Amino acid sequence: MMNAYDRIYLEAARNSFGRMLDYAVYDLKYDLTEFWELFLSSDVSKKLERGDVSVLAGRSGVEMALMVTGKEKIYTEPFYAEEKSSEYWLGWALAYYQWKTCLSFSQITEQVSIMEMLRMYSPYHEMDIQHFCDKLSEKYEARKRQTNLKHKRLAAGLSQSQLAELTGIPVRTIQQYEQNQKDINKARAEYLIALARALYCDPAGLLEIRE
């Protein structure tokens, strides 16, 4: 299998990625999910995925976080904790997984949310990285099949954020329905009606057939 970029840059990328998440959460005070959405829409994510050396080896994690948030001129002195945070571990592990699989960060977190991966910190931070990769791949493959909601949203040309805005349903809830983390068959009636209206379909068409 081909990797996302030359292995010579891998450790630098993992350390910078881990430091980026740590700095964003603990120094810039971002909610991890909020920062992750900014990251996915930034040039930083695209450059990392295609192995752009200017980011892989030319930027520190602090610089990457500032680029993502647009706060390059508002520098907050980083605090270096004695022990690495769970967010640091997540960045370090996720950078490896992206390199290994060549999946985009967006593809990965469409199936397994960034917060769910953070909760994998225990016990996986004490294990060989391959255990994390195997478990994440297991989750990814199990959820890769498109739900009816995701299929209809993509057919309508809407992002999750746009659908949330149209319906008044939290984007996190939409993500959970699409990733089968929440059962849409048990969704509130007003949610199903709002989604159906926005997607021009029958509410029943959003339900999933369970074996």
Side-chain angles (χ1 to χ4, degrees):
M1 181 195 297
M2 287 188 63
N3 302 122
Y5 46 85
D6 196 304
R7 191 182 187 109
I8 193 172
Y9 299 111
L10 179 59
E11 283 310 305
R14 294 175 76 187
N15 289 322
S16 293
F17 201 63
R19 189 70 190 112
M20 178 188 73
L21 294 187
D22 179 273
Y23 182 74
V25 171
Y26 293 102
D27 295 283
L28 297 181
K29 308 301 181 186
Y30 274 85
D31 173 80
L32 179 59
T33 301
E34 179 187 5
F35 177 79
W36 189 254
E37 289 300 317
L38 291 175
F39 170 74
L40 290 181
S41 62
S42 73
D43 286 341
V44 177
S45 66
K46 311 302 183 293
K47 288 179 177 179
L48 275 171
E49 289 164 358
R50 65 173 182 258
D52 190 314
V53 177
S54 69
V55 173
L56 289 176
R59 298 278 183 173
S60 69
V62 170
E63 289 173 321
M64 286 164 56
L66 293 173
M67 288 174 66
V68 168
T69 58
K71 295 185 176 181
E72 292 182 77
K73 295 182 181 179
I74 307 174
Y75 185 77
T76 302
E77 188 68 29
F79 172 74
Y80 294 100
E82 197 168 313
E83 291 189 7
K84 296 291 194 297
S85 67
S86 53
E87 287 79 6
Y88 180 96
W89 169 83
L90 173 59
W92 179 85
L94 185 52
Y96 181 87
Y97 185 78
Q98 190 278 323
W99 170 82
K100 182 179 177 67
T101 63
C102 292
L103 293 168
S104 71
F105 291 109
S106 180
Q107 285 176 310
I108 296 166
T109 51
E110 271 187 5
Q111 305 304 330
V112 186
S113 73
I114 196 69
M115 291 305 298
E116 185 175 358
M117 282 189 277
L118 181 64
R119 290 192 289 271
M120 292 172 69
Y121 174 75
S122 182
Y124 288 96
H125 75 287
E126 296 179 335
M127 299 181 183
D128 183 87
I129 187 65
Q130 190 58 47
H131 291 287
F132 168 78
C133 291
D134 290 345
K135 186 63 177 180
L136 186 51
S137 289
E138 178 186 318
K139 289 174 178 284
Y140 179 87
E141 293 299 330
R143 297 172 186 172
K144 193 168 61 173
R145 184 187 69 83
Q146 288 186 356
T147 60
N148 291 328
L149 173 59
K150 183 174 181 179
H151 175 77
K152 293 182 185 300
R153 174 179 64 77
L154 292 176
L158 296 173
S159 68
Q160 291 175 336
S161 297
Q162 289 170 326
L163 184 57
E165 188 174 343
L166 285 171
T167 60
I169 299 171
V171 68
R172 180 70 188 118
T173 300
I174 291 172
Q175 290 170 345
Q176 289 172 323
Y177 286 143
E178 289 194 357
Q179 296 169 3
N180 282 320
Q181 294 177 12
K182 276 189 174 182
D183 187 351
I184 198 168
N185 294 358
K186 298 178 182 178
R188 291 154 51 178
E190 58 265 35
Y191 276 12
L192 286 174
I193 292 169
L195 288 167
R197 284 177 178 166
L199 298 171
Y200 298 98
C201 68
D202 189 283
L206 298 171
L207 302 180
E208 297 293 325
I209 298 174
R210 310 295 187 195
E211 293 183 357

